[in-house]
Amino acid sequence: MDLYDADPRAVVRFLPGDLLAILAFVLVGTLSHGTLTAERYAGVLLPFLVGWVVVAPFAGGYDSSVLESTRAAIAYGAVSWLGADFLAQLLRGTPFFPGSADPQFFVVALVFGTVALVAARFATLVVVDYRG
């Protein structure tokens, strides 16, 4: 694997589900804290989207190996989320985004974001296998 080795087929297959998982993760979080407004949702969502788009291609989230193995698809997705969550927390530590870079939130986001992404990738693989 090169530093940047994204396979366009993997991007097409997994990116929509990955983005939906991140959107849902942030939506559930803002709803559970009772802070859901359009501005707040966008402010919380943006660092995670930036983190994912920046980190996932470099961490193997869209490597050609994710097309060949369920284990690779899920493992690289989880590893990519670790880096994306870390970058998102750094961004949240700036005055440009709501919230803060709280270590507890890093762990919570890591756990629930990983669960959401693993579920999305697994669902994508089930649909792909079913279709063909």
Side-chain angles (χ1 to χ4, degrees):
M1 179 173 79
D2 295 328
L3 176 63
Y4 177 80
D5 192 25
D7 185 326
R9 297 170 303 147
V11 173
V12 168
R13 179 171 292 168
F14 290 108
L15 183 62
D18 293 345
L19 293 178
L20 283 174
I22 295 167
L23 291 167
F25 156 72
V26 173
L27 179 63
V28 168
T30 53
L31 282 171
S32 69
H33 288 284
T35 59
L36 182 61
T37 64
E39 282 182 28
R40 177 76 179 181
Y41 180 70
V44 173
L45 177 64
L46 191 58
F48 290 105
L49 289 179
V50 168
W52 183 256
V53 170
V54 169
V55 172
F58 293 101
Y62 299 107
D63 186 72
S64 58
S65 66
V66 302
L67 296 170
E68 300 165 6
S69 162
T70 300
R71 182 178 296 177
I74 290 172
Y76 280 125
V79 168
S80 296
W81 181 249
L82 173 65
D85 183 20
F86 182 76
L87 179 57
Q89 298 305 322
L90 291 177
L91 292 171
R92 287 173 53 90
T94 69
F96 302 109
F97 299 101
S100 63
D102 183 358
Q104 288 179 331
F105 182 62
F106 170 77
V107 173
V108 168
L110 180 63
V111 170
F112 288 102
T114 299
V115 168
L117 281 163
V118 165
R121 285 194 167 216
F122 185 76
T124 298
L125 291 167
V126 167
V127 168
V128 167
D129 282 348
Y130 177 76
R131 294 184 72 203

